Amino acid sequence: MFRCHTLGMSFVGTPDPNSSWLSDEELAEVRRRMPILYVEAIPVRLDAVGKVAEIGTLLRVSPSGNMTRTIVAGRVLYGELIRDALLRHLEKDLGTMAFPQLPISPVPMAVAEMFPESSPTGLTDPRQHAVSLVFVVPVTGTCDPRQDALELSWVAPSEAVASDMLADMEGGRGVLLKQALAAVGCVL
Amino acid sequence: MFRCHTLGMSFVGTPDPNSSWLSDEELAEVRRRMPILYVEAIPVRLDAVGKVAEIGTLLRVSPSGNMTRTIVAGRVLYGELIRDALLRHLEKDLGTMAFPQLPISPVPMAVAEMFPESSPTGLTDPRQHAVSLVFVVPVTGTCDPRQDALELSWVAPSEAVASDMLADMEGGRGVLLKQALAAVGCVL
Amino acid sequence: MFRCHTLGMSFVGTPDPNSSWLSDEELAEVRRRMPILYVEAIPVRLDAVGKVAEIGTLLRVSPSGNMTRTIVAGRVLYGELIRDALLRHLEKDLGTMAFPQLPISPVPMAVAEMFPESSPTGLTDPRQHAVSLVFVVPVTGTCDPRQDALELSWVAPSEAVASDMLADMEGGRGVLLKQALAAVGCVL
Amino acid sequence: MFRCHTLGMSFVGTPDPNSSWLSDEELAEVRRRMPILYVEAIPVRLDAVGKVAEIGTLLRVSPSGNMTRTIVAGRVLYGELIRDALLRHLEKDLGTMAFPQLPISPVPMAVAEMFPESSPTGLTDPRQHAVSLVFVVPVTGTCDPRQDALELSWVAPSEAVASDMLADMEGGRGVLLKQALAAVGCVL
């Protein structure tokens, strides 16, 4: 059993032929054939009156060795509820003490359609056609990112605009961040 | 080349090994391994002031030979935008003269999570784990359902409640109908 | 200074002519002339996976002496933010230890338009034309309703349907409850 | 009877003491005492696939004689439905041949809270505390603004960012435009 780093996912490969999940080879094959369902979470800290005070982003090394900035994201597995997938990926990227405040509803703040090339939405993912349900998730605890995320950094909304952060984001996700945050009344 | 009726989908099977889409066997295999992304549309007619006057449902013969009531639904294909998938399935089920008013945003009115068995959401699909983005879509033209839908019927919201229509709906979709319509201010 | 019970609101009357708020007479006058902005909150308790487990309603004596069932509701005052009005009315009706989880965004789950008579929306308020921004608000603490609400009761969504609770609700608010809860994925 | 231009509204003043609407003096008085309910509409033109192609803004002379850029906006009157208020203000500002596609639901894309001074939301309105329900409204016909709007101009989303348009907007409404458009998947 091994962690599949090359695909940039925390999917645990397994040779069990009866598994309802996919081997790495199968996953790579399916990724060229059908859209893959993802969830993404933008962790935020709220101030005393409940407005977004800080936005969390992850600095990560991409498969090609570049540093990229991204948000919490990952596949929904067979048989898994969207909120369970959200919680699993939040725990993987922020640790188990982040105490995320999960959304009551599975209706996302934004829907991102990512394509491998010439994307009509401007959002890209070289590995696949992914459709991502994007949620803004307040966290109240201590975040302690696990190994494959090098660093979690928090910035105020105004800093996010002033810095190059939005332009640095993986696959055009700066736009996604603006859209999901706007849906909760925070404008970048 | 043939239309795949047994799966209740308008997917056109093809033996082309280079196809980015899936053969029926591959699709059946993938369906046991990962969640499949669907779009669903509840066609509605609006009255003069823009309120929902009538809701369209499809009477369909299920793979097991039973009559079931359902709504417009189908897979999102590899490389396809959500709105293009919506339009394709609306044209397949309502004909090309329905003139649907597609949503501006890909954020759905409701998200339905369907599981083959013991579903925590109460929504079921014996074939697969499907995640469906559900939209309420006003139509202004003439609806002329194609062959695999036996009949399109329109009912007023009050009739939908009084009749057994909601209970008759495939895979618990009566609940889904209530939820999506409530999101646009129409309560069943 | 006195609490204005007859209007069923926790508005504190004051004779100060420089006040930016309204005296009872002025308020009564304005209520016949323009729509009044309200916020309403449906308090809910969530289960371990974050689904709505219980819905809180208030049993209240109406101005005409009848018992009616209602939800947390009240005016937005001059100069007050929507979230501050929500918090103020939640504290008034549920006490200061309810620990409500206020929405990040001021965009409501439902908008209720209530009219004194012959209401096109079916929602009525004999005192006024009110427009209400309705939010579903999870509470995590102990609720201790203050005096003008006689009783706070919690029911499971299934009980709410089985009982006469929805029909008992003030001014047609049963419909409103269904609509706001449907928007967060809980269907009555 | 006269049109009240100085307040920048299409409110028709009347001395009738039994009127359910307000005289100009009464309105001015109420504006210092309670939040006033507004609707705002961002007119858009959609391209063939239903994405926002152009955004309409109005160039207007403010009461103080300055040129400002704004969107369609106005009060909800006593007894008036939100959608009727939306239609009335769209007809006033865009003419009767604009054929706006009104929203099915009264739940807005954004809620704007405007205060006369030191606004915690950054949105200001020197006349009053206004709470505005903001909708993105596709128009399909010919727009012919009436006299109090000097000019209607259409810009592509990319131009809106490149130009000074957003900064020019009245009372901080550039932020509002970004937020409402993001809610329908169009990011400025």
Side-chain angles (χ1 to χ4, degrees), chain A residues 77-164:
Chain A
L77 296 180
Y78 182 86
E80 190 178 40
L81 282 168
I82 286 165
R83 64 175 305 118
D84 292 340
L86 258 181
L87 184 57
R88 180 170 57 83
H89 291 292
L90 282 161
E91 290 198 341
K92 170 175 65 68
D93 283 344
L94 304 183
T96 56
M97 303 299 284
F99 300 130
Q101 186 178 301
L102 291 177
I104 315 180
S105 161
V107 175
M109 276 78 176
V111 172
E113 304 179 76
M114 281 162 270
F115 297 92
E117 50 206 29
S118 67
S119 171
T121 62
L123 296 167
T124 57
D125 185 334
R127 299 167 301 170
Q128 62 198 340
H129 171 194
V131 174
S132 213
L133 309 181
V134 188
F135 298 86
V136 175
V137 181
V139 296
T140 55
T142 308
C143 296
D144 178 26
R146 309 246 286 259
Q147 70 181 75
D148 61 350
L150 291 190
E151 190 200 345
L152 172 69
S153 65
W154 294 97
V155 295
S158 56
E159 281 175 74
V161 175
S163 72
D164 293 331

Side-chain angles (χ1 to χ4, degrees), chain B residues 44 46 48-52 81 83-84 101-107 109 136-138 182-185, chain D residues 44 46 48-52 81 83-84 101-107 109 136-138 182-185:
Chain B
V44 297
L46 305 180
V49 298
K51 280 175 57 180
V52 172
L81 281 169
R83 64 177 303 120
D84 291 340
Q101 185 178 303
L102 291 176
I104 315 180
S105 162
V107 175
M109 276 78 175
V136 175
V137 181
V184 298
Chain D
V44 296
L46 304 180
V49 298
K51 279 175 56 180
V52 172
L81 282 168
R83 65 176 304 119
D84 291 340
Q101 186 179 300
L102 291 177
I104 315 180
S105 160
V107 175
M109 276 77 176
V136 175
V137 180
V184 298

Side-chain angles (χ1 to χ4, degrees), chain D residues 15-93:
Chain D
D16 177 1
N18 300 316
S19 169
S20 64
W21 294 348
L22 296 166
S23 72
D24 291 349
E25 291 73 20
E26 288 168 322
L27 179 60
E29 182 64 22
V30 170
R31 280 183 156 151
R32 287 190 295 271
R33 303 293 187 89
M34 60 190 306
I36 309 294
L37 184 66
Y38 270 68
V39 286
E40 306 206 23
I42 303 170
V44 296
R45 290 197 182 279
L46 304 180
D47 65 15
V49 298
K51 279 175 56 180
V52 172
E54 290 183 318
I55 302 157
T57 60
L58 297 161
L59 206 58
R60 198 191 286 271
V61 178
S62 77
S64 58
N66 295 320
M67 302 283 272
T68 55
R69 198 171 282 280
T70 191
I71 52 179
V72 174
R75 281 210 298 137
V76 180
L77 296 181
Y78 182 87
E80 189 178 41
L81 282 168
I82 287 165
R83 65 176 304 119
D84 291 340
L86 258 182
L87 184 57
R88 181 170 58 83
H89 291 293
L90 282 162
E91 290 198 340
K92 169 176 66 70
D93 283 344

